[in-house]
Amino acid sequence: MDLQPGPSHADRATISIAGDAIQSEFGISSIALGYVFSAFGWSYLIGQIPGGWLLDRYGSKKVYGYAVLTWSTFTFLQGFLGNFSMGTAVGLLFFLRFMVGLTEAPAFPGNARVVAAWFPAEERGFASSVFNSAQYFSTIVFAPLMGWLVTALGWEHVFTVIGGIGILFALIWTKVVYSPKQHPRLSENELAYLEHGGALVDMDQPDAAPQAGGGDQLRYMKLLLSNRMLLGVFFGQFFITTITWFFLTWFPVYLVQERGMSILKAGFIAVLPAICAFVGGLGGGVISDFLLRRGVSLTAARKIPIIVGLLLASSIILCNYVDASWMVVALMSLSFFGKGFGALGWAVMSDAVPKEISGLGGGVFNTFGAVAAITTPIIIGYLLDSTGSYDWALVFVGGCALAAVISYVFVVGPIRRLHLTEMEVEAGLRPTE
């Protein structure tokens, strides 16, 4: 079993907890703060395809270890921006968030590769939900701490503390993580069990991935993007990630500015939706795998939790019609529970993408999510600036949840394992044998 670096994903939430304090100290508008929030997404988008290629070329352990170390270092450096003037500090903050996104690009494709290598198909839904839910667990663990740090020590220490924890975790990762065939304590029976269940245990072995040049990578990308099933999953990921990035950027600011909570209280309140998302994420994976073991088709076992969860996620719109803070928190928690419950896109990718280009496939998949990481904070920033309230922002987020349902119902179709050779033959890129 491999350890997933979920705690390190707390770096994504640092800017949201510190966002109101940063906005107040430097006097920047909601639109400017939205662009700062989006800096991560721009580079995360740029880094997806190269990150996927690096994973296929050099393996999950090495690439992921370096990634955690570098993105944690850039997070740590954000804690020193208070020493600069407003214009310089905001520019450096954008740059450092940009570098965090660039170096974090291999993270989720790497997670998917580890799951595909270490888990049989019937256990893959739960395993994928664990690493996907780790980002919520990070909020559960660190949001109260970050809220306290802003209040007691200043917003700068949110970055230094979380960045330092990430650096420590990177060092642990290099010592404990192995691929199945290289693990010193994995028995032959355990390895046989994994192989028999469909785990791709040789994924990180030498010559397991095609050593392709840029032209071949472009050809493989075209194959992925021309497949209707995968294209539906890709668009679904865009809409689902929109929900995630509302919670990772504007949600604590919403609690402070729209609902009148203190930063410290917002830090603690942010834990409740995160707990619900964590429980929902694990529950969606458990139910999906349970359905699969009971003989339900792979398509139904994956789609049922996705559709049910995302319908629940759309309940965020109802926050516009309640005044009581406890009702807002309850609806936000229900929405984020649904988002976690339905976030099985990575399990679908582990089930479907050709093993030879699993890293590239994960990179393309995460590219669509990275677009949402860019557009979500910017769109919400403009909506806030033009309307002065969060009403249309919540409608936008809830509408994206419904759009993801439409994508999985009407576009994805049957879910099945794709094979690179067959895809090339169908596209006319390889002669029929």
Side-chain angles (χ1 to χ4, degrees), residues 30-74:
S30 294
I31 292 176
L33 185 59
Y35 275 101
V36 170
F37 282 158
S38 76
F40 179 101
W42 290 102
S43 56
Y44 199 61
L45 171 65
I46 294 169
Q48 286 307 303
I49 305 305
W53 177 82
L54 287 171
L55 287 162
D56 287 336
R57 183 68 181 269
Y58 298 107
S60 304
K61 176 178 179 176
K62 183 181 296 185
V63 174
Y64 214 149
Y66 282 120
V68 177
L69 179 62
T70 51
W71 87 57
S72 299
T73 301
F74 286 121

Side-chain angles (χ1 to χ4, degrees), residues 112-133:
R113 293 180 93 258
V114 171
V115 166
W118 273 96
F119 290 89
E122 293 182 353
E123 301 175 20
R124 205 170 282 151
F126 176 71
S128 296
S129 69
V130 168
F131 81 69
N132 199 46
S133 297

Side-chain angles (χ1 to χ4, degrees), residues 186-198 201:
L186 190 70
S187 69
E188 292 184 6
N189 288 338
E190 289 172 323
L191 183 61
Y193 168 78
L194 294 177
E195 288 185 292
H196 180 72
V201 296

Side-chain angles (χ1 to χ4, degrees), residues 121-126 282-297 300-302 304-305 344:
E122 293 182 353
E123 301 175 20
R124 205 170 282 151
F126 176 71
L282 296 181
V286 168
I287 290 176
S288 180
D289 287 346
F290 171 78
L291 293 173
L292 198 59
R293 288 193 296 269
R294 292 297 297 267
V296 175
S297 70
R302 298 300 189 226
I304 289 173
L344 287 173

Side-chain angles (χ1 to χ4, degrees), residues 18 23 61 69 80 98 163 217 223 225 252 261 275 289 425:
Q23 187 175 19
K61 176 178 179 176
L69 179 62
F80 299 92
F98 185 93
Q217 292 296 306
L223 289 176
L225 292 171
M261 299 181 186
I275 291 174
D289 287 346
V425 169

